[in-house]
């Protein structure tokens, strides 16, 4: 693809709580396009179980999308950085709103 994750994006990704190994994984996915976990592991120089662990963590944070082919393997694709950050921001906003609502309920119960 050749889009490359810019240096400032590394900083933004780190500020969102991604570990350096997750950023490396995301950057490789972002640059390579859809890829198998085994190919990702080889390119990162890590064991396949560790690649799956990274992919699951990135998928949970909505930085990676998984596509299961009907008769073939699962392919992993990086979400565009802006999309992933917007989704993460929406999740965080929802969590904060939930915490505020729970706090208001607790405050009413105390009174």
């Amino acid at each position: 693809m050749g889009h490359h994750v810019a240096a400032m994006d590394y900083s933004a990704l780190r500020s969102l709580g991604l570990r350096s190994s997750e950023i490396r994984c995301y950057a490789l996915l972002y640059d390579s396009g859809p890829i198998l976990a085994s190919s990702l592991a080889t390119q990162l120089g890590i064991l396949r179980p560790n690649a799956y662990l990274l992919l699951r963590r990135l998928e949970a944070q909505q930085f990676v999308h998984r596509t299961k082919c009907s008769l073939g393997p699962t392919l992993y694709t990086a979400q565009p950085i802006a999309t992933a950050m917007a989704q993460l921001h929406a999740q965080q906003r929802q969590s904060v709103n939930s915490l505020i609502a729970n706090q208001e309920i607790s405050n009413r119960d105390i009174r």
Side-chain angles (χ1 to χ4, degrees), residues 25 28-29 32-56 64-67 73-77:
C25 180
L28 183 77
L29 283 167
S32 69
I35 192 171
L36 299 170
S38 58
S39 297
L40 180 76
T42 299
Q43 291 183 42
L44 290 174
I46 62 175
L47 298 174
R48 193 180 305 182
N50 293 337
Y52 282 112
L53 179 65
L54 284 171
L55 290 165
R56 279 194 299 273
V64 171
H65 176 73
R66 177 186 350 180
T67 304
T74 301
L75 294 173
Y76 295 89
T77 308

Side-chain angles (χ1 to χ4, degrees), residues 5-107:
V5 176
M8 69 177 190
D9 294 329
Y10 277 93
S11 169
L13 292 169
R14 191 174 266 322
S15 72
L16 291 171
L18 268 64
R19 301 172 183 156
S20 58
S21 58
E22 293 167 334
I23 295 171
R24 282 185 51 231
C25 180
Y26 176 77
L28 183 77
L29 283 167
Y30 191 82
D31 290 340
S32 69
I35 192 171
L36 299 170
S38 58
S39 297
L40 180 76
T42 299
Q43 291 183 42
L44 290 174
I46 62 175
L47 298 174
R48 193 180 305 182
N50 293 337
Y52 282 112
L53 179 65
L54 284 171
L55 290 165
R56 279 194 299 273
R57 286 196 312 238
L58 288 168
E59 187 176 14
Q61 297 176 69
Q62 300 187 14
F63 282 94
V64 171
H65 176 73
R66 177 186 350 180
T67 304
K68 175 72 175 150
C69 302
S70 59
L71 296 175
T74 301
L75 294 173
Y76 295 89
T77 308
Q79 295 278 32
I81 292 173
T83 301
M85 292 176 101
Q87 290 171 340
L88 187 59
H89 180 72
Q91 280 180 337
Q92 289 172 339
R93 179 177 287 155
Q94 184 178 2
S95 294
V96 167
N97 288 339
S98 178
L99 288 170
I100 290 169
N102 289 338
Q103 184 63 39
E104 288 172 355
I105 290 169
S106 294
N107 288 343

